[in-house]
Amino acid sequence: MHCPFCKHTDTRVLDSRVADDGGAIRRRRACQACDRRFTTVEQIQLAVVKRSGASEPFNRDKVIDGVRKACKGRPVTDDDLARLGQEVETALRAAGAAYVPADEVGLAVLDPLRELDAVAYLRFASVYKAFESVDDFADEVAGLMAERAGDPQPTDDVDAPAPPGRT
């Protein structure tokens, strides 16, 4: 480690602490030549392995840009996209692998995006899952509708029968 002040190569670690819920290590260092102190943060480099076999560093902005295209015209803010990008990165880091297949990055996007906006989810899923027909869309929409059916939905139907046990 080079001292950022005098560029000397001999530094001493004074203190080490875990940071970012175990995703990084913060080290307090002292230069042996100029005696100045500085902090370094060591973080696991997360790499994405593409289908071609090539790997590149994980880039949260690249994930956000892909999701932004699916959210075009939807009521999704930049803050929402930033949170989604953070969720995806956190999920991938929590898996503990230094190399993540590109497919897993897409899978990590699907659940948070489904919670954020169903239409954007369908757009993203249609590309990611390579929908080939209207039936593929219909199946995915049916899955979303079934998922929502599990949630209590307000009803405007006054003539709807009362739930069992209530009158």
Side-chain angles (χ1 to χ4, degrees):
M1 173 61 53
H2 292 270
C3 171
F5 305 106
C6 71
K7 307 297 183 219
H8 194 264
T9 58
D10 192 17
T11 61
R12 182 171 40 105
V13 174
L14 302 174
D15 182 40
S16 293
R17 295 182 186 189
V18 175
D20 294 333
D21 296 326
I25 298 174
R26 180 188 162 278
R27 298 195 195 280
R28 191 73 181 140
R29 296 176 178 266
C31 177
Q32 300 288 54
C34 69
D35 209 30
R36 293 180 77 178
R37 294 181 179 199
F38 59 98
T39 301
T40 59
V41 177
E42 297 174 17
Q43 190 171 23
I44 298 171
Q45 181 65 42
L46 188 61
V48 177
V49 180
K50 297 184 166 205
R51 290 183 189 110
S52 66
S55 66
E56 65 181 40
F58 174 80
N59 184 345
R60 185 187 316 168
D61 293 332
K62 195 170 178 180
V63 170
I64 291 171
D65 288 343
V67 174
R68 180 175 280 120
K69 291 173 188 170
C71 293
K72 187 172 184 176
R74 301 298 303 157
V76 176
T77 66
D78 285 340
D79 287 342
D80 293 334
L81 292 175
R83 277 190 294 278
L84 184 137
Q86 180 62 49
E87 273 185 66
V88 170
E89 185 173 358
T90 299
L92 294 173
R93 287 190 183 280
Y99 292 94
V100 178
D103 294 357
E104 287 186 30
V105 175
L107 285 174
V109 168
L110 288 174
D111 285 337
L113 184 56
R114 181 178 25 229
E115 292 175 20
L116 181 63
D117 187 273
V119 173
Y121 165 77
L122 282 172
R123 291 175 179 171
F124 188 87
S126 70
V127 174
Y128 177 73
K129 293 182 176 182
F131 289 0
E132 293 181 7
S133 70
V134 174
D135 293 336
D136 294 337
F137 274 100
D139 291 344
E140 198 68 36
V141 169
L144 284 171
M145 297 300 282
E147 193 176 287
R148 283 192 175 181
D151 295 336
Q153 297 292 321
T155 180
D156 293 335
D157 190 0
V158 177
D159 297 328
R166 294 188 184 163
T167 48

